[in-house]
């Protein structure tokens, strides 16, 4: 039996702001809560929905999602996102607390030399029981 699992309270969006060549982290971490009764535990992975971050209408420039780095396991190294390759951002080998386990982690990017704009994309979060 795998048990029930939910991922809730996920930060809806975040912004990375800077000048070309500057490396910046999220001003506020991305937060989420995992709740499960699975005694084997769970993992949380993230992956981009597309291969590029898109600018606003009329801007043909893009930023590859591989330029966006995610903190792998809180306090761990930052690794690039890649389309089709989930990155594990947390693992626990026990059930969550009854009211869930709260987590936060950061993203980082070196701002590329692109047209000044707001570039956006979707990052999927998946919680899976072990």
């Amino acid at each position: 039996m795998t048990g029930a699992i939910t991922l809730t309270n996920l930060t809806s969006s975040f912004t990375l702001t800077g000048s070309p060549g500057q490396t910046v982290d999220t001003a506020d971490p991305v937060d989420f809560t995992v709740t499960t009764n699975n005694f084997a535990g769970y993992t949380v992975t993230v992956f981009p929905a597309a291969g590029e971050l898109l600018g606003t209408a009329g801007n043909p420039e893009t930023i590859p999602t591989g330029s966006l780095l995610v903190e792998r396991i809180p306090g761990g190294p930052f690794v690039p996102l890649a389309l089709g390759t989930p990155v594990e951002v947390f693992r626990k080998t026990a059930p969550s607390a009854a009211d869930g386990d709260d987590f936060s982690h950061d993203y980082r990017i070196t701002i590329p030399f692109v047209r000044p704009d707001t570039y956006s994309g979707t990052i999927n979060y998946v919680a899976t029981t072990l």
Side-chain angles (χ1 to χ4, degrees):
M1 182 167 137
T2 59
I5 189 165
T6 60
L7 190 147
T8 58
N9 304 324
L10 180 61
T11 301
S12 62
S13 66
F14 63 89
T15 303
L16 298 163
T17 303
S19 301
Q22 183 180 8
T23 300
V24 295
D25 291 353
T26 44
D28 296 311
V30 173
D31 299 318
F32 58 92
T33 303
V34 176
T35 307
T36 184
N37 62 350
N38 184 17
F39 283 96
Y42 60 92
T43 63
V44 177
T45 58
V46 300
F47 58 93
E52 298 173 322
L53 302 173
L54 304 176
T56 57
N59 178 359
E61 295 189 56
T62 62
I63 299 173
T65 54
S67 298
L68 187 60
L69 308 177
V70 62
E71 184 179 28
R72 184 166 189 243
I73 312 299
F78 283 83
V79 296
L81 292 178
L83 187 61
T85 306
V87 175
E88 186 176 297
V89 294
F90 194 79
R91 172 181 290 265
K92 184 175 181 182
T93 55
S96 69
D99 59 349
D101 295 335
D102 296 324
F103 300 104
S104 63
H105 66 125
D106 290 308
Y107 284 86
R108 174 178 290 166
I109 193 168
T110 299
I111 305 295
F113 190 76
V114 292
R115 183 179 309 198
D117 200 350
T118 299
Y119 294 83
S120 62
T122 300
I123 299 171
N124 296 304
Y125 279 69
V126 177
T128 308
T129 56
L130 297 176

